[in-house]
mmCIF file of all heavy atoms in Angstrom:
data_model
loop_
_atom_site.group_PDB
_atom_site.id
_atom_site.type_symbol
_atom_site.label_atom_id
_atom_site.label_comp_id
_atom_site.label_asym_id
_atom_site.label_seq_id
_atom_site.Cartn_x
_atom_site.Cartn_y
_atom_site.Cartn_z
ATOM 1 N N ALA J 383 -0.854 17.526 6.991
ATOM 2 C CA ALA J 383 -1.182 18.589 7.953
ATOM 3 C C ALA J 383 -2.289 18.127 8.873
ATOM 4 O O ALA J 383 -3.099 17.262 8.514
ATOM 5 C CB ALA J 383 -1.650 19.846 7.221
ATOM 6 N N VAL J 384 -2.301 18.716 10.059
ATOM 7 C CA VAL J 384 -3.465 18.625 10.948
ATOM 8 C C VAL J 384 -4.043 20.037 10.992
ATOM 9 O O VAL J 384 -3.310 21.008 11.217
ATOM 10 C CB VAL J 384 -3.063 18.165 12.360
ATOM 11 C CG1 VAL J 384 -4.245 18.276 13.317
ATOM 12 C CG2 VAL J 384 -2.535 16.732 12.316
ATOM 13 N N THR J 385 -5.335 20.149 10.717
ATOM 14 C CA THR J 385 -6.000 21.454 10.803
ATOM 15 C C THR J 385 -7.037 21.373 11.918
ATOM 16 O O THR J 385 -7.675 20.340 12.107
ATOM 17 C CB THR J 385 -6.664 21.823 9.466
ATOM 18 O OG1 THR J 385 -7.549 20.772 9.061
ATOM 19 C CG2 THR J 385 -5.621 22.053 8.382
ATOM 20 N N THR J 386 -7.165 22.468 12.659
ATOM 21 C CA THR J 386 -8.071 22.421 13.811
ATOM 22 C C THR J 386 -9.161 23.473 13.666
ATOM 23 O O THR J 386 -9.002 24.467 12.956
ATOM 24 C CB THR J 386 -7.310 22.637 15.129
ATOM 25 O OG1 THR J 386 -6.645 23.897 15.094
ATOM 26 C CG2 THR J 386 -6.302 21.528 15.377
ATOM 27 N N VAL J 387 -10.254 23.231 14.368
ATOM 28 C CA VAL J 387 -11.446 24.061 14.270
ATOM 29 C C VAL J 387 -12.062 24.166 15.665
ATOM 30 O O VAL J 387 -11.935 23.236 16.468
ATOM 31 C CB VAL J 387 -12.429 23.421 13.242
ATOM 32 C CG1 VAL J 387 -12.903 22.041 13.674
ATOM 33 C CG2 VAL J 387 -13.637 24.317 12.972
ATOM 34 N N GLY J 388 -12.718 25.269 15.945
ATOM 35 C CA GLY J 388 -13.471 25.361 17.189
ATOM 36 C C GLY J 388 -14.640 24.388 17.143
ATOM 37 O O GLY J 388 -15.316 24.278 16.120
ATOM 38 N N GLY J 389 -14.867 23.684 18.226
ATOM 39 C CA GLY J 389 -15.943 22.686 18.222
ATOM 40 C C GLY J 389 -16.160 22.202 19.638
ATOM 41 O O GLY J 389 -16.746 22.915 20.462
ATOM 42 N N ASN J 390 -15.621 21.016 19.934
ATOM 43 C CA ASN J 390 -15.783 20.450 21.281
ATOM 44 C C ASN J 390 -15.391 21.450 22.360
ATOM 45 O O ASN J 390 -16.019 21.529 23.408
ATOM 46 C CB ASN J 390 -14.932 19.190 21.429
ATOM 47 C CG ASN J 390 -15.497 18.019 20.646
ATOM 48 O OD1 ASN J 390 -16.708 17.855 20.572
ATOM 49 N ND2 ASN J 390 -14.624 17.219 20.071
ATOM 50 N N VAL J 391 -14.304 22.169 22.117
ATOM 51 C CA VAL J 391 -13.860 23.279 22.973
ATOM 52 C C VAL J 391 -13.447 24.411 22.029
ATOM 53 O O VAL J 391 -13.316 24.193 20.822
ATOM 54 C CB VAL J 391 -12.698 22.859 23.919
ATOM 55 C CG1 VAL J 391 -13.193 21.936 25.026
ATOM 56 C CG2 VAL J 391 -11.550 22.213 23.165
ATOM 57 N N PRO J 392 -13.243 25.626 22.555
ATOM 58 C CA PRO J 392 -12.913 26.745 21.665
ATOM 59 C C PRO J 392 -11.636 26.502 20.842
ATOM 60 O O PRO J 392 -10.765 25.701 21.224
ATOM 61 C CB PRO J 392 -12.737 27.923 22.632
ATOM 62 C CG PRO J 392 -13.600 27.555 23.804
ATOM 63 C CD PRO J 392 -13.477 26.066 23.941
ATOM 64 N N ALA J 393 -11.534 27.258 19.747
ATOM 65 C CA ALA J 393 -10.490 27.012 18.741
ATOM 66 C C ALA J 393 -9.074 27.088 19.307
ATOM 67 O O ALA J 393 -8.195 26.319 18.909
ATOM 68 C CB ALA J 393 -10.647 27.999 17.592
ATOM 69 N N ARG J 394 -8.839 28.009 20.254
ATOM 70 C CA ARG J 394 -7.462 28.119 20.757
ATOM 71 C C ARG J 394 -7.088 26.841 21.513
ATOM 72 O O ARG J 394 -5.924 26.424 21.519
ATOM 73 C CB ARG J 394 -7.320 29.389 21.621
ATOM 74 C CG ARG J 394 -7.667 29.264 23.026
ATOM 75 C CD ARG J 394 -7.724 30.549 23.835
ATOM 76 N NE ARG J 394 -8.765 30.429 24.828
ATOM 77 C CZ ARG J 394 -8.677 29.683 25.919
ATOM 78 N NH1 ARG J 394 -7.574 29.032 26.176
ATOM 79 N NH2 ARG J 394 -9.686 29.566 26.754
ATOM 80 N N LEU J 395 -8.062 26.191 22.131
ATOM 81 C CA LEU J 395 -7.782 24.939 22.851
ATOM 82 C C LEU J 395 -7.647 23.757 21.889
ATOM 83 O O LEU J 395 -6.793 22.889 22.095
ATOM 84 C CB LEU J 395 -8.874 24.660 23.887
ATOM 85 C CG LEU J 395 -8.912 25.618 25.077
ATOM 86 C CD1 LEU J 395 -10.036 25.237 26.042
ATOM 87 C CD2 LEU J 395 -7.577 25.621 25.825
ATOM 88 N N THR J 396 -8.470 23.711 20.843
ATOM 89 C CA THR J 396 -8.336 22.565 19.916
ATOM 90 C C THR J 396 -6.969 22.604 19.227
ATOM 91 O O THR J 396 -6.341 21.565 19.027
ATOM 92 C CB THR J 396 -9.468 22.512 18.873
ATOM 93 O OG1 THR J 396 -9.487 23.716 18.097
ATOM 94 C CG2 THR J 396 -10.823 22.298 19.531
ATOM 95 N N ALA J 397 -6.489 23.822 18.901
ATOM 96 C CA ALA J 397 -5.163 23.935 18.254
ATOM 97 C C ALA J 397 -4.068 23.507 19.236
ATOM 98 O O ALA J 397 -3.128 22.786 18.867
ATOM 99 C CB ALA J 397 -4.936 25.364 17.774
ATOM 100 N N ARG J 398 -4.192 23.935 20.477
ATOM 101 C CA ARG J 398 -3.191 23.526 21.469
ATOM 102 C C ARG J 398 -3.254 22.011 21.699
ATOM 103 O O ARG J 398 -2.215 21.333 21.771
ATOM 104 C CB ARG J 398 -3.442 24.251 22.800
ATOM 105 C CG ARG J 398 -2.421 23.895 23.862
ATOM 106 C CD ARG J 398 -2.942 24.043 25.266
ATOM 107 N NE ARG J 398 -4.105 23.207 25.511
ATOM 108 C CZ ARG J 398 -4.749 23.136 26.675
ATOM 109 N NH1 ARG J 398 -4.345 23.873 27.692
ATOM 110 N NH2 ARG J 398 -5.795 22.351 26.836
ATOM 111 N N ASN J 399 -4.465 21.479 21.799
ATOM 112 C CA ASN J 399 -4.601 20.047 22.083
ATOM 113 C C ASN J 399 -4.001 19.187 20.969
ATOM 114 O O ASN J 399 -3.375 18.159 21.237
ATOM 115 C CB ASN J 399 -6.076 19.689 22.305
ATOM 116 C CG ASN J 399 -6.632 20.315 23.576
ATOM 117 O OD1 ASN J 399 -5.872 20.829 24.400
ATOM 118 N ND2 ASN J 399 -7.949 20.288 23.733
ATOM 119 N N ALA J 400 -4.206 19.615 19.741
ATOM 120 C CA ALA J 400 -3.610 18.860 18.618
ATOM 121 C C ALA J 400 -2.089 18.878 18.746
ATOM 122 O O ALA J 400 -1.409 17.869 18.484
ATOM 123 C CB ALA J 400 -4.036 19.469 17.287
ATOM 124 N N ARG J 401 -1.529 20.002 19.189
ATOM 125 C CA ARG J 401 -0.066 20.093 19.342
ATOM 126 C C ARG J 401 0.415 19.249 20.522
ATOM 127 O O ARG J 401 1.513 18.685 20.488
ATOM 128 C CB ARG J 401 0.345 21.563 19.493
ATOM 129 C CG ARG J 401 0.133 22.356 18.194
ATOM 130 C CD ARG J 401 0.597 23.794 18.303
ATOM 131 N NE ARG J 401 -0.146 24.548 19.297
ATOM 132 C CZ ARG J 401 0.402 25.226 20.305
ATOM 133 N NH1 ARG J 401 1.711 25.241 20.471
ATOM 134 N NH2 ARG J 401 -0.354 25.883 21.158
ATOM 135 N N ILE J 402 -0.401 19.176 21.571
ATOM 136 C CA ILE J 402 -0.041 18.300 22.703
ATOM 137 C C ILE J 402 0.058 16.849 22.228
ATOM 138 O O ILE J 402 1.037 16.142 22.516
ATOM 139 C CB ILE J 402 -1.077 18.428 23.852
ATOM 140 C CG1 ILE J 402 -0.921 19.782 24.558
ATOM 141 C CG2 ILE J 402 -0.952 17.271 24.841
ATOM 142 C CD1 ILE J 402 -1.967 20.058 25.633
ATOM 143 N N ILE J 403 -0.946 16.416 21.487
ATOM 144 C CA ILE J 403 -0.952 15.022 21.021
ATOM 145 C C ILE J 403 0.195 14.791 20.042
ATOM 146 O O ILE J 403 0.864 13.749 20.067
ATOM 147 C CB ILE J 403 -2.326 14.679 20.382
ATOM 148 C CG1 ILE J 403 -3.458 14.825 21.424
ATOM 149 C CG2 ILE J 403 -2.321 13.268 19.794
ATOM 150 C CD1 ILE J 403 -3.307 13.970 22.672
ATOM 151 N N ARG J 404 0.456 15.773 19.181
ATOM 152 C CA ARG J 404 1.579 15.664 18.246
ATOM 153 C C ARG J 404 2.898 15.485 19.007
ATOM 154 O O ARG J 404 3.742 14.671 18.622
ATOM 155 C CB ARG J 404 1.628 16.928 17.384
ATOM 156 C CG ARG J 404 2.840 17.020 16.491
ATOM 157 C CD ARG J 404 2.829 18.259 15.628
ATOM 158 N NE ARG J 404 2.970 19.493 16.384
ATOM 159 C CZ ARG J 404 3.111 20.697 15.823
ATOM 160 N NH1 ARG J 404 3.094 20.809 14.510
ATOM 161 N NH2 ARG J 404 3.241 21.775 16.562
ATOM 162 N N GLN J 405 3.046 16.223 20.095
ATOM 163 C CA GLN J 405 4.300 16.128 20.870
ATOM 164 C C GLN J 405 4.412 14.763 21.557
ATOM 165 O O GLN J 405 5.476 14.153 21.571
ATOM 166 C CB GLN J 405 4.361 17.268 21.893
ATOM 167 C CG GLN J 405 5.697 17.349 22.598
ATOM 168 C CD GLN J 405 5.927 18.705 23.249
ATOM 169 O OE1 GLN J 405 5.530 19.742 22.719
ATOM 170 N NE2 GLN J 405 6.543 18.710 24.420
ATOM 171 N N ILE J 406 3.292 14.293 22.130
ATOM 172 C CA ILE J 406 3.313 12.968 22.767
ATOM 173 C C ILE J 406 3.686 11.897 21.731
ATOM 174 O O ILE J 406 4.417 10.951 22.026
ATOM 175 C CB ILE J 406 1.955 12.668 23.431
ATOM 176 C CG1 ILE J 406 1.752 13.581 24.644
ATOM 177 C CG2 ILE J 406 1.832 11.189 23.829
ATOM 178 C CD1 ILE J 406 0.361 13.556 25.246
ATOM 179 N N ALA J 407 3.166 12.081 20.526
ATOM 180 C CA ALA J 407 3.439 11.097 19.459
ATOM 181 C C ALA J 407 4.801 11.319 18.805
ATOM 182 O O ALA J 407 5.183 10.546 17.915
ATOM 183 C CB ALA J 407 2.338 11.164 18.405
ATOM 184 N N ALA J 408 5.511 12.379 19.229
ATOM 185 C CA ALA J 408 6.820 12.715 18.630
ATOM 186 C C ALA J 408 6.716 12.846 17.114
ATOM 187 O O ALA J 408 7.516 12.292 16.359
ATOM 188 C CB ALA J 408 7.874 11.684 19.035
ATOM 189 N N ARG J 409 5.695 13.592 16.664
ATOM 190 C CA ARG J 409 5.499 13.799 15.221
ATOM 191 C C ARG J 409 5.502 15.289 14.866
ATOM 192 O O ARG J 409 4.645 15.769 14.127
ATOM 193 C CB ARG J 409 4.173 13.136 14.777
ATOM 194 C CG ARG J 409 4.193 11.632 14.710
ATOM 195 C CD ARG J 409 5.197 11.050 13.701
ATOM 196 N NE ARG J 409 5.110 11.613 12.380
ATOM 197 C CZ ARG J 409 4.323 11.125 11.405
ATOM 198 N NH1 ARG J 409 3.606 10.055 11.619
ATOM 199 N NH2 ARG J 409 4.302 11.693 10.211
ATOM 200 N N GLU J 410 6.495 16.006 15.413
ATOM 201 C CA GLU J 410 6.584 17.444 15.127
ATOM 202 C C GLU J 410 6.859 17.740 13.660
ATOM 203 O O GLU J 410 6.849 18.899 13.243
ATOM 204 C CB GLU J 410 7.627 18.115 16.024
ATOM 205 C CG GLU J 410 7.042 18.664 17.313
ATOM 206 C CD GLU J 410 7.160 17.704 18.473
ATOM 207 O OE1 GLU J 410 7.488 16.527 18.225
ATOM 208 O OE2 GLU J 410 6.934 18.124 19.608
ATOM 209 N N ASP J 411 7.110 16.693 12.872
ATOM 210 C CA ASP J 411 7.267 16.897 11.427
ATOM 211 C C ASP J 411 5.940 17.283 10.762
ATOM 212 O O ASP J 411 5.941 17.793 9.648
ATOM 213 C CB ASP J 411 7.802 15.610 10.774
ATOM 214 C CG ASP J 411 6.909 14.400 11.062
ATOM 215 O OD1 ASP J 411 6.726 14.061 12.254
ATOM 216 O OD2 ASP J 411 6.371 13.804 10.113
ATOM 217 N N VAL J 412 4.821 17.063 11.434
ATOM 218 C CA VAL J 412 3.512 17.361 10.839
ATOM 219 C C VAL J 412 3.040 18.748 11.301
ATOM 220 O O VAL J 412 2.901 18.977 12.501
ATOM 221 C CB VAL J 412 2.463 16.298 11.262
ATOM 222 C CG1 VAL J 412 1.103 16.609 10.635
ATOM 223 C CG2 VAL J 412 2.928 14.898 10.892
ATOM 224 N N PRO J 413 2.782 19.670 10.369
ATOM 225 C CA PRO J 413 2.324 21.000 10.797
ATOM 226 C C PRO J 413 0.887 20.971 11.310
ATOM 227 O O PRO J 413 0.055 20.218 10.814
ATOM 228 C CB PRO J 413 2.417 21.841 9.513
ATOM 229 C CG PRO J 413 2.352 20.853 8.398
ATOM 230 C CD PRO J 413 2.940 19.565 8.913
ATOM 231 N N VAL J 414 0.636 21.799 12.336
ATOM 232 C CA VAL J 414 -0.734 21.988 12.843
ATOM 233 C C VAL J 414 -1.151 23.425 12.517
ATOM 234 O O VAL J 414 -0.470 24.371 12.914
ATOM 235 C CB VAL J 414 -0.809 21.759 14.367
ATOM 236 C CG1 VAL J 414 -2.195 22.147 14.910
ATOM 237 C CG2 VAL J 414 -0.498 20.307 14.721
ATOM 238 N N TYR J 415 -2.233 23.567 11.790
ATOM 239 C CA TYR J 415 -2.769 24.889 11.444
ATOM 240 C C TYR J 415 -4.055 25.121 12.219
ATOM 241 O O TYR J 415 -4.954 24.277 12.198
ATOM 242 C CB TYR J 415 -3.102 24.965 9.952
ATOM 243 C CG TYR J 415 -1.915 24.854 9.047
ATOM 244 C CD1 TYR J 415 -1.489 23.609 8.581
ATOM 245 C CD2 TYR J 415 -1.230 25.990 8.624
ATOM 246 C CE1 TYR J 415 -0.398 23.493 7.729
ATOM 247 C CE2 TYR J 415 -0.136 25.890 7.767
ATOM 248 C CZ TYR J 415 0.268 24.641 7.326
ATOM 249 O OH TYR J 415 1.348 24.532 6.482
ATOM 250 N N ALA J 416 -4.157 26.290 12.858
ATOM 251 C CA ALA J 416 -5.394 26.634 13.569
ATOM 252 C C ALA J 416 -6.382 27.244 12.586
ATOM 253 O O ALA J 416 -5.998 27.998 11.684
ATOM 254 C CB ALA J 416 -5.085 27.615 14.693
ATOM 255 N N GLY J 417 -7.671 26.929 12.783
ATOM 256 C CA GLY J 417 -8.679 27.379 11.825
ATOM 257 C C GLY J 417 -9.833 28.116 12.459
ATOM 258 O O GLY J 417 -9.661 28.850 13.436
ATOM 259 N N ALA J 418 -11.016 27.868 11.911
ATOM 260 C CA ALA J 418 -12.200 28.673 12.222
ATOM 261 C C ALA J 418 -12.531 28.652 13.712
ATOM 262 O O ALA J 418 -12.558 27.591 14.341
ATOM 263 C CB ALA J 418 -13.386 28.164 11.417
ATOM 264 N N GLU J 419 -12.794 29.840 14.229
ATOM 265 C CA GLU J 419 -13.167 29.958 15.639
ATOM 266 C C GLU J 419 -14.673 29.852 15.817
ATOM 267 O O GLU J 419 -15.151 29.518 16.901
ATOM 268 C CB GLU J 419 -12.668 31.290 16.188
ATOM 269 C CG GLU J 419 -11.160 31.393 16.078
ATOM 270 C CD GLU J 419 -10.579 32.556 16.849
ATOM 271 O OE1 GLU J 419 -11.323 33.207 17.600
ATOM 272 O OE2 GLU J 419 -9.380 32.797 16.684
ATOM 273 N N GLN J 420 -15.405 30.176 14.766
ATOM 274 C CA GLN J 420 -16.869 30.192 14.818
ATOM 275 C C GLN J 420 -17.423 29.379 13.655
ATOM 276 O O GLN J 420 -16.823 29.362 12.583
ATOM 277 C CB GLN J 420 -17.389 31.638 14.657
ATOM 278 C CG GLN J 420 -16.922 32.607 15.721
ATOM 279 C CD GLN J 420 -17.678 32.392 17.028
ATOM 280 O OE1 GLN J 420 -18.823 31.978 17.015
ATOM 281 N NE2 GLN J 420 -17.022 32.665 18.140
ATOM 282 N N PRO J 421 -18.602 28.786 13.848
ATOM 283 C CA PRO J 421 -19.287 28.178 12.708
ATOM 284 C C PRO J 421 -19.643 29.256 11.681
ATOM 285 O O PRO J 421 -19.609 30.447 11.992
ATOM 286 C CB PRO J 421 -20.560 27.583 13.325
ATOM 287 C CG PRO J 421 -20.319 27.558 14.791
ATOM 288 C CD PRO J 421 -19.333 28.628 15.107
ATOM 289 N N LEU J 422 -20.043 28.824 10.484
ATOM 290 C CA LEU J 422 -20.312 29.767 9.399
ATOM 291 C C LEU J 422 -21.441 30.733 9.720
ATOM 292 O O LEU J 422 -21.329 31.932 9.476
ATOM 293 C CB LEU J 422 -20.682 28.962 8.140
ATOM 294 C CG LEU J 422 -20.030 29.365 6.832
ATOM 295 C CD1 LEU J 422 -18.546 29.533 6.973
ATOM 296 C CD2 LEU J 422 -20.371 28.328 5.772
ATOM 297 N N VAL J 423 -22.531 30.231 10.279
ATOM 298 C CA VAL J 423 -23.718 31.068 10.480
ATOM 299 C C VAL J 423 -24.127 31.116 11.948
ATOM 300 O O VAL J 423 -24.302 32.182 12.521
ATOM 301 C CB VAL J 423 -24.898 30.554 9.620
ATOM 302 C CG1 VAL J 423 -26.168 31.365 9.887
ATOM 303 C CG2 VAL J 423 -24.526 30.579 8.134
ATOM 304 N N ARG J 424 -24.252 29.972 12.557
ATOM 305 C CA ARG J 424 -24.793 29.942 13.916
ATOM 306 C C ARG J 424 -23.701 30.202 14.959
ATOM 307 O O ARG J 424 -22.520 30.270 14.630
ATOM 308 C CB ARG J 424 -25.512 28.609 14.182
ATOM 309 C CG ARG J 424 -24.626 27.400 14.142
ATOM 310 C CD ARG J 424 -25.434 26.177 14.486
ATOM 311 N NE ARG J 424 -26.102 26.408 15.770
ATOM 312 C CZ ARG J 424 -26.112 25.549 16.777
ATOM 313 N NH1 ARG J 424 -25.523 24.383 16.662
ATOM 314 N NH2 ARG J 424 -26.709 25.826 17.896
ATOM 315 N N ALA J 425 -24.142 30.367 16.202
ATOM 316 C CA ALA J 425 -23.175 30.618 17.284
ATOM 317 C C ALA J 425 -22.474 29.315 17.663
ATOM 318 O O ALA J 425 -23.040 28.228 17.530
ATOM 319 C CB ALA J 425 -23.909 31.182 18.500
ATOM 320 N N ALA J 426 -21.229 29.446 18.141
ATOM 321 C CA ALA J 426 -20.474 28.266 18.556
ATOM 322 C C ALA J 426 -21.150 27.603 19.746
ATOM 323 O O ALA J 426 -21.671 28.272 20.634
ATOM 324 C CB ALA J 426 -19.049 28.668 18.923
ATOM 325 N N GLU J 427 -21.136 26.272 19.735
ATOM 326 C CA GLU J 427 -21.686 25.508 20.864
ATOM 327 C C GLU J 427 -20.729 24.377 21.199
ATOM 328 O O GLU J 427 -20.613 23.420 20.436
ATOM 329 C CB GLU J 427 -23.069 24.950 20.499
ATOM 330 C CG GLU J 427 -23.758 24.355 21.678
ATOM 331 C CD GLU J 427 -25.281 24.309 21.491
ATOM 332 O OE1 GLU J 427 -25.830 25.124 20.744
ATOM 333 O OE2 GLU J 427 -25.881 23.428 22.103
ATOM 334 N N ALA J 428 -20.010 24.549 22.307
ATOM 335 C CA ALA J 428 -18.992 23.553 22.669
ATOM 336 C C ALA J 428 -19.647 22.287 23.230
ATOM 337 O O ALA J 428 -20.849 22.259 23.505
ATOM 338 C CB ALA J 428 -18.038 24.154 23.695
#
Side-chain angles (χ1 to χ4, degrees):
V384 172
T385 55
T386 59
V387 62
N390 288 323
V391 288
R394 86 189 146 73
L395 291 180
T396 59
R398 181 207 59 179
N399 293 348
R401 291 183 297 126
I402 288 175
I403 299 302
R404 173 178 67 174
Q405 188 161 324
I406 291 170
R409 287 298 309 270
E410 268 95 348
D411 56 300
V412 180
V414 172
Y415 295 90
E419 300 192 8
Q420 300 284 330
L422 226 48
V423 176
R424 64 177 306 228
E427 189 157 334

